[in-house]
Amino acid sequence: MTTPALTFSEDQADAFDAVAELMRGAGVDLDDSLLTPPRDNANSQVMAVIGKAGSGKTMLLAKLYKVLEDAGVDIVSGDYEGKARKDRRTLAILAPTNKAASVLRNRGVPATTIHRILYTPMYDPEYEKVAEWLNGNGERPEIEGLTDVALDRAMTSFQANKSVPAALAAAGLRGSDFITGWKRRENPLDIGLVDESSMLDEKQFADLQEIFPTLVLFGDPAQLPPVKAKGDADGGMVFDGLAEPRKRVLSRVHRQDGDNPILDLAHALADPALQFHDFERMIQDAARVDERVVWAERVESDLMSRSPVLVWRNATRIRLIHAFRGAFGAPEDELLEGEPLICDGIELPMKHRKKRLDLEARGLIKGAHVVYLGPGRKPGFSRLHVMGAEDPQVSAASIVKIEQMDDEEPFIPFAARMGATFLHGAAVTIHKAQGSQWDTVQVFAPDIYAASRMGRVEAGKPLWKRLAYVAITRAETQLRWVVRNRLGKPSGTLQVDDLKTAPAPLELSTQSDGD
């Protein structure tokens, strides 16, 4: 195939051709844009494209998405699914976390979370006509309350970002106006492209294989293996067990990363002879000549509200969280607007399964990063901004836990009787940061040093190198390597004004009627 060779490096072109051959075997011919109807009970086909940061995995994924779309494959997202047709071919682009999916969406790829694809939104019949029109499957509708100008705004928005909820929001609607509920996906899909697949555990991988007969995994073998990995005694990744013909390895593409010093440091960690102190000297050298790397004597509290400090040890995480709250004068018995939180799961009995779906479908899945916007209208409710979610603002029954030192029981400033549970998010472990990226990242170096002193090995590599690699590759623009246990004073109060520009949040009740 000559087209990708003009754009890709040699190994990217090879990977593209290998995926194209996989698709051809599944009845999707990318050379001639020919589609055959999907086969019932088709055998599962899995391929992996792996490479370290800067190797062009995202570029390749974006190209595959575009070529599949041009061939006539329907794109299925978590926000709307058109009427089923027996002969249609479908594609979903997936990521394990909201943040990882938002990174792809910011690059023009209509990604959604793996969790979200398990559920299908149910639209009000009137607004479903708008969704069908936006997707090219119906005539321009006439809806009471929606003017021609509003419909034009919706179409302009949809053409830009391929999101039905965003388009309807541009027309002046809220999610509660057009989404009446959620249901578990009943039928399998077709083709899945999965980014950040190094985060998948065996159960998630098995679930994806049930939904998608054809899967292409994109992953970084240098990251930390998933905590719940079962397929490898040393904690391997799901693509490790694939046969070699089903794996394509990408090398670093220098012309794409522009000699990024952050990626230079990440790739230097592959040297088996490199020791921790040698690595720190490399960071110092980089900081002297490039502002994208900073040798920092303290943690900057102003950055912690939107991008957490990355640590290895839980004790460090809790200590930094308390230092952050103290620096901003947060009282012990309540949260300040602008405090960051991380969803730690949902505490609901089985009889509230529908309400659990509502919360999870709106992005409140385990590990989701949110910002507290203030109390909701009901006791125990919080107004939240879910970072990276397509429809980010929500009001939900919340149980917020502020963890204490010395393994004491967490302090709970307020709580509903049941709902989404949250831990503080000013600092997070490097394991939980996988799949996320922030403009500026602060890495707490004393924790990495502690890991190097322990001499632990994880999945065949020194743990400190895996920790350092994951931590520094979370930074999109600037890496701050913090070498002292100090916290800088904030320059002002916590701010949320930039997060309140979206439509009013949808309130998701987790209480029974009459509660």
Side-chain angles (χ1 to χ4, degrees):
M1 297 182 67
T2 58
T3 302
L6 297 174
T7 304
F8 294 156
S9 65
E10 184 176 344
D11 54 6
Q12 286 175 314
D14 175 67
F16 186 98
D17 288 346
V19 174
E21 184 64 27
L22 183 80
M23 298 296 172
R24 190 177 298 111
V28 177
D29 191 326
L30 300 183
D31 283 323
D32 300 318
S33 295
L34 294 176
L35 307 179
T36 58
R39 292 170 293 177
D40 293 334
N41 302 318
N43 293 327
S44 175
Q45 301 185 98
V46 182
M47 177 170 282
V49 178
I50 60 178
K52 294 181 181 179
S55 60
K57 296 186 299 296
T58 301
M59 178 185 178
L60 178 59
L61 188 156
K63 178 70 173 179
L64 285 166
Y65 147 64
K66 188 59 181 172
V67 172
L68 284 162
E69 183 184 46
D70 290 346
V73 176
D74 287 349
I75 310 302
V76 176
S77 70
D79 59 46
Y80 180 74
E81 186 171 345
K83 295 177 181 178
R85 303 192 312 273
K86 284 193 68 174
D87 60 342
R88 79 167 182 161
R89 305 307 303 263
T90 60
L91 166 69
I93 300 111
L94 310 169
T97 66
N98 295 308
K99 286 284 286 182
S102 72
V103 169
L104 289 173
R105 290 198 299 272
N106 290 337
R107 298 178 182 179
V109 179
T112 190
T113 62
I114 292 170
H115 192 93
R116 182 73 174 260
I117 210 69
L118 296 176
Y119 306 114
T120 303
M122 295 181 290
Y123 277 61
D124 178 279
E126 284 295 289
Y127 296 116
E128 189 169 19
K129 297 175 185 176
V130 180
E132 287 292 299
W133 168 64
L134 292 171
N135 281 280
N137 299 322
E139 299 294 325
R140 182 184 178 101
E142 294 184 4
I143 308 292
E144 184 177 354
L146 278 185
T147 65
D148 284 341
V149 172
L151 286 172
D152 288 342
R153 285 202 306 267
M155 179 57 80
T156 299
S157 171
F158 184 78
Q159 289 173 339
N161 55 43
K162 303 298 184 184
S163 169
V164 171
L168 292 174
L173 299 170
R174 298 179 301 176
S176 55
D177 294 328
F178 53 86
I179 293 179
T180 60
W182 303 82
K183 64 180 180 179
R184 179 85 180 190
R185 179 174 298 283
E186 297 174 352
N187 299 314
L189 289 171
D190 194 351
I191 300 167
L193 306 182
V194 187
D195 198 23
E196 296 285 357
S197 65
S198 50
M199 297 176 63
L200 298 178
D201 60 33
E202 293 289 348
K203 183 180 184 307
Q204 291 170 319
F205 185 39
D207 289 342
L208 287 171
Q209 288 177 290
E210 287 185 8
I211 297 174
F212 297 98
T214 303
L215 272 177
V216 182
L217 310 177
F218 294 79
D220 186 337
Q223 290 198 22
L224 291 159
V227 174
K228 295 182 180 179
K230 298 177 183 177
D232 189 291
D234 294 324
M237 299 171 184
V238 294
F239 47 71
D240 290 342
L242 296 179
E244 289 304 316
R246 290 296 187 182
K247 287 193 282 191
R248 290 295 185 274
V249 180
L250 304 183
S251 58
R252 185 177 178 187
V253 184
H254 289 272
R255 60 183 169 79
Q256 292 174 4
D257 61 51
D259 295 322
N260 187 327
I262 299 172
L263 294 182
D264 289 341
L265 291 168
H267 284 262
L269 289 162
D271 181 356
L274 184 70
Q275 300 298 311
F276 179 82
H277 293 298
D278 299 326
F279 182 64
E280 285 212 315
R281 279 194 291 272
M282 295 179 65
I283 294 174
Q284 284 183 303
D285 291 342
R288 291 189 189 102
V289 298
D290 199 308
E291 62 184 8
R292 289 174 288 182
V293 178
V294 177
W295 181 269
E297 297 288 336
R298 66 186 184 186
V299 173
E300 293 297 334
S301 55
D302 285 331
L303 295 173
M304 295 170 70
S305 63
R306 299 296 170 80
S307 57
V309 181
L310 303 187
V311 305
W312 175 47
R313 297 176 291 193
N314 265 319
T316 306
R317 179 178 62 85
I318 296 169
R319 186 169 64 251
L320 284 169
I321 287 169
H322 282 275
F324 169 85
R325 301 198 78 234
F328 283 98
E332 291 187 358
D333 58 348
E334 61 182 285
L335 292 176
L336 296 177
E337 291 186 14
E339 289 198 62
L341 302 172
I342 295 179
C343 183
D344 195 43
I346 296 174
E347 295 184 2
L348 285 173
M350 284 301 296
K351 67 178 181 178
H352 291 293
R353 180 177 176 273
K354 179 180 180 297
K355 292 168 183 176
R356 175 186 291 273
L357 296 188
D358 286 341
L359 290 167
E360 292 176 338
R362 289 298 303 277
L364 290 178
I365 57 178
K366 191 175 179 68
H369 294 247
V370 309
V371 174
Y372 177 74
L373 299 180
R377 289 191 293 268
K378 298 178 182 179
F381 274 63
S382 302
R383 291 182 294 115
L384 307 165
H385 183 99
V386 184
M387 303 301 290
E390 295 172 84
D391 190 8
Q393 297 207 10
V394 61
S395 178
S398 308
I399 303 166
V400 179
K401 302 175 181 179
I402 306 296
E403 295 162 286
Q404 303 297 314
M405 301 297 292
D406 303 321
D407 295 324
E408 295 179 11
E409 285 296 312
F411 174 70
I412 301 177
F414 66 89
R417 282 176 292 175
M418 54 188 178
T421 63
F422 296 94
L423 303 176
H424 207 278
V428 302
T429 62
I430 295 169
H431 270 94
K432 287 192 175 181
Q434 289 196 131
S436 296
Q437 282 190 307
W438 295 273
D439 182 73
T440 299
V441 163
Q442 300 185 90
V443 180
F444 194 73
D447 266 20
I448 310 294
Y449 175 64
S452 73
R453 294 272 298 191
M454 292 181 66
R456 281 179 53 182
V457 173
E458 192 162 305
K461 294 183 180 180
L463 174 60
W464 80 264
K465 290 186 177 182
R466 285 189 177 273
L467 291 168
Y469 178 89
V470 172
I472 65 180
T473 54
R474 301 310 93 201
E476 292 181 321
T477 303
Q478 186 182 80
L479 165 68
R480 299 182 67 87
W481 187 260
V482 181
V483 296
R484 296 285 185 271
N485 188 17
R486 300 173 183 168
L487 181 70
K489 293 182 179 179
S491 61
T493 58
L494 292 171
Q495 299 295 318
V496 295
D497 291 346
D498 59 318
L499 301 180
K500 290 186 174 181
T501 57
L506 172 65
E507 186 161 284
L508 298 177
S509 174
T510 53
Q511 311 288 341
S512 300
D513 292 341
D515 279 352

